[in-house]
Amino acid sequence: EQERGLRIADAVIAGGGTLLTVLKPKGTLAPMEPFLILPEVTDTRLWLGEQLFHDKDKTGVGFMSSYMRYVIRNTDLVKPDEVTKYEDLLKPQFKKKIVMMDPTMTGATLSWSSGLARNRGIEQTKDFLRALVKQEPTLSRDVRFIYENVAKGKYSIGMEARPEAMAEFQSIGAPLAYAKINEISKLAPSNAVISLASQPAHPNAATVFVNWLLSKEGQTVASSKGWGAPSSRQDVPREGLSSWLFPGPDEKFFVQDEPDYMMQGEMRLVNNELFAPLRK
């Protein structure tokens, strides 16, 4: 739209990878700091890690922060102790029984692979991914397809990380749970990063909206009634949110940052090469 001179969008809410690695380089996002006017929004002490902006140019605010769990198991088919580390995905019984979000596109499994590279290094991560490809997982670009087919038992394991989708399926009694993986993960906003268009159609309305959304009131509504995930604001109630959205006492994590998103760009190239046989 902007490339054609159209001014339609005011604000954009999406995954950080989409915003910071796709839209931001095209110059379609505006620095948000001039639009943030409420003291309760700009007070960084109220935000996780005292970090308001998601990038050094201050074009994005990640307003949710869930502990990322990437492995979904069908509880009727996979016991908790069967998958406790990523190498367990390489067990013979899971060959052709894994469905995962296409890791060559922006999304959960690209984010997962960048976290692996950060923890293990790129070369070791490549070795693991090559072994995973030999398991012949099914690749999908449809979140519901993954959750529905793991719930139905067509696949034993799914790889996705949408807390709102898991909460929806669990609420209707689907036999789904996240596997507890003994490896450092990340606190990340998933698809809850807000940016403003560099040429907003209604700048005053955009200012009102973004300040309300990032206020305690706005975040309380968005957290419990919208995303079903924890707010990045530390003064927002967490009652009613599932315990798996938070790291347990023995689970280590890092807060997703711009270098992690940049690593996703590198891992996209790696994944394009390694997963090419599965995309034919």
Side-chain angles (χ1 to χ4, degrees), residues 10-245:
D10 293 312
V12 185
I13 297 176
T18 298
L19 294 172
L20 300 186
T21 68
V22 179
L23 294 181
K24 177 181 171 181
K26 293 180 179 293
T28 59
L29 304 181
M32 293 184 65
E33 196 168 34
F35 291 86
L36 303 182
I37 57 178
L38 292 182
E40 69 159 303
V41 171
T42 58
D43 186 350
T44 56
R45 295 172 298 178
L46 298 173
W47 293 88
L48 179 67
E50 298 191 359
Q51 176 181 312
L52 175 57
F53 298 103
H54 226 49
D55 62 313
K56 65 180 183 298
D57 298 311
K58 302 180 180 181
T59 59
V61 174
F63 56 88
M64 296 289 156
S65 290
S66 300
Y67 183 79
M68 302 305 289
R69 303 180 188 276
Y70 296 101
V71 180
I72 307 158
R73 63 183 177 89
N74 181 300
T75 56
D76 293 334
L77 302 175
V78 183
K79 297 178 181 179
D81 60 356
E82 287 187 82
V83 181
T84 60
K85 56 184 183 297
Y86 291 125
E87 277 67 22
D88 288 335
L89 301 177
L90 308 181
K91 291 178 177 178
Q93 66 263 37
F94 297 133
K95 187 163 187 176
K96 297 185 179 181
K97 290 295 183 179
I98 300 172
V99 59
M100 61 190 298
M101 182 61 71
D102 186 342
T104 66
M105 61 178 285
T106 300
T109 47
L110 177 59
S111 175
W112 165 69
S113 66
S114 73
L116 282 182
R118 183 167 180 162
N119 294 339
R120 303 181 176 195
I122 288 183
E123 292 307 315
Q124 187 176 347
T125 299
K126 286 182 179 179
D127 290 341
F128 171 75
L129 294 178
R130 290 189 187 99
L132 181 61
V133 168
K134 292 179 180 179
Q135 290 289 76
E136 299 181 50
T138 297
L139 304 186
S140 175
R141 297 192 171 196
D142 186 333
V143 173
R144 292 198 67 86
F145 177 88
I146 294 173
Y147 282 88
E148 286 180 0
N149 283 280
V150 175
K152 292 176 180 177
K154 181 177 180 180
Y155 301 98
S156 303
I157 296 290
M159 297 197 67
E160 231 300 298
R162 297 286 180 90
E164 67 276 14
M166 176 62 85
E168 177 187 348
F169 277 85
Q170 286 185 332
S171 70
I172 59 174
L176 296 179
Y178 285 119
K180 185 176 180 179
I181 303 296
N182 296 322
E183 184 161 341
I184 188 171
S185 189
K186 62 184 80 170
L187 284 179
S190 185
N191 60 335
V193 180
I194 186 168
S195 295
L196 295 178
S198 58
Q199 300 179 43
H202 312 93
N204 292 335
T207 299
V208 172
F209 173 69
V210 73
N211 279 273
W212 175 80
L213 179 65
L214 299 179
S215 70
K216 181 179 180 179
E217 178 188 11
Q219 283 296 283
T220 300
V221 172
S223 175
S224 61
K225 298 181 181 180
W227 271 257
S231 171
S232 297
R233 284 187 67 106
Q234 301 303 285
D235 58 349
V236 172
R238 295 183 171 184
E239 290 80 6
L241 296 175
S242 299
S243 60
W244 45 258
L245 293 166

